[in-house]
Amino acid sequence: MEKKKSTVHLMVAKEAPQETALASRFGGRPLIPRAATPVWPCCRECKEPMQFLGQLVLAPEKGERLDRLVLLFMCSADTCETWDAEQGANKAMVVVGNSWKIWEPPQVGGSGTPLLRSDAYGVEVVDWEAQAGDGDAYDPARQSWADAHKVARRKVVGQMFGQPSWLQSADHPECPTCGKEMAFIAQVEEGPRYETSMNFGGGSAYVFCCGSHAAKFLWQQ
Ligand SMILES: [Zn+2]
Ligand SMILES: [Zn+2]
């Protein structure tokens, strides 16, 4: 049987852009619309403020001019169910705007885990063609990109759009605003450096968004 080739939009780690630049990146402080005054998200389970993981830039919606940004937060406590899109131990926020400012995290007491990561990196989206093996083309694409560039596979920090490569069964969250199945926007790996990586249990996170209604994420291992 002939195996089909498909193009995967890999996210490859690169040097972190300036924090003020409207760019997809992991680490650093989040950007929010200049006029916004949101409250830093707290974990619904342990009530502690969550750590900012990173942000993904999305193009404006059809007929709109405002850029969209999805901000990802996750609780650092081992005891909270951070994998679940609905438990409140992680949060994806979609914010829209055309003028941005840096969102300073709140001050926390000595015992709290840092609200910002110790690592920061940008992402470059690379279109890479690969042959799907038994599953989808994402894993083969990740491996062949790493092989072709003679670097570790973890330098590929995910993919944008395309098809999610599920580690468990498919799990598309519903939009809390309109009830429709949310669109898949990114799959995110734990990061290019083991010591500073995000904790997805060794697996991947999956990010979804519905227009400017809402965003959600979950992880699987
Ligand atoms: Zn928690
Ligand atoms: Zn919706």
Side-chain angles (χ1 to χ4, degrees):
M1 209 175 81
E2 185 103 335
K3 279 188 177 162
K4 228 177 76 201
K5 277 201 162 186
S6 47
T7 302
V8 180
H9 315 292
L10 294 175
M11 288 198 285
V12 175
K14 65 169 190 183
E15 202 180 317
Q18 289 218 329
E19 272 184 311
T20 50
L22 182 65
S24 298
R25 61 173 157 82
F26 292 88
R29 294 168 294 179
L31 285 182
I32 47 169
R34 196 166 285 281
T37 51
V39 177
W40 193 271
C42 288
C43 174
R44 205 190 296 150
E45 291 185 49
C46 70
K47 316 296 182 208
E48 293 294 324
M50 291 193 256
Q51 187 179 60
F52 173 64
L53 301 183
Q55 65 183 27
L56 297 166
V57 177
L58 301 180
E61 277 194 273
K62 265 200 191 93
E64 291 280 341
R65 284 171 165 219
L66 301 177
D67 285 306
R68 290 180 295 155
L69 204 48
V70 173
L71 311 177
L72 302 175
F73 297 85
M74 192 168 82
C75 178
S76 307
D78 293 338
T79 48
C80 295
E81 295 184 77
T82 58
W83 56 271
D84 194 300
E86 314 292 344
Q87 278 294 329
N90 73 44
K91 187 167 180 69
M93 291 173 68
V94 56
V95 289
V96 296
N98 53 17
S99 175
W100 304 87
K101 66 179 177 188
I102 288 171
W103 189 1
E104 287 292 345
Q107 299 288 332
V108 286
S111 65
T113 35
L115 302 186
L116 301 176
R117 295 178 57 200
S118 58
D119 198 2
Y121 47 92
V123 298
E124 184 182 353
V125 178
V126 176
D127 288 346
W128 194 254
E129 201 174 64
Q131 211 146 37
D134 295 335
D136 43 65
Y138 171 63
D139 264 325
R142 206 154 54 118
Q143 192 62 57
S144 73
W145 187 90
D147 292 345
H149 293 82
K150 296 187 171 57
V151 294
R153 203 167 74 134
R154 61 183 316 141
K155 180 136 199 240
V156 181
V157 294
Q159 62 169 337
M160 283 293 274
F161 307 113
Q163 297 299 319
S165 174
W166 296 106
L167 296 171
Q168 305 288 337
S169 48
D171 185 3
H172 287 268
E174 267 183 13
C175 174
T177 306
C178 70
K180 287 189 188 144
E181 194 173 271
M182 299 178 101
F184 171 70
I185 58 163
Q187 178 162 354
V188 178
E189 305 299 334
E190 292 183 319
R193 287 169 280 273
Y194 176 76
E195 312 76 50
T196 57
S197 61
M198 298 178 275
N199 182 6
F200 302 142
S204 304
Y206 305 84
V207 187
F208 299 84
C209 187
C210 182
S212 54
H213 284 166
K216 286 186 183 179
F217 90 93
L218 58 104
W219 58 259
Q220 295 186 343
Q221 62 185 138

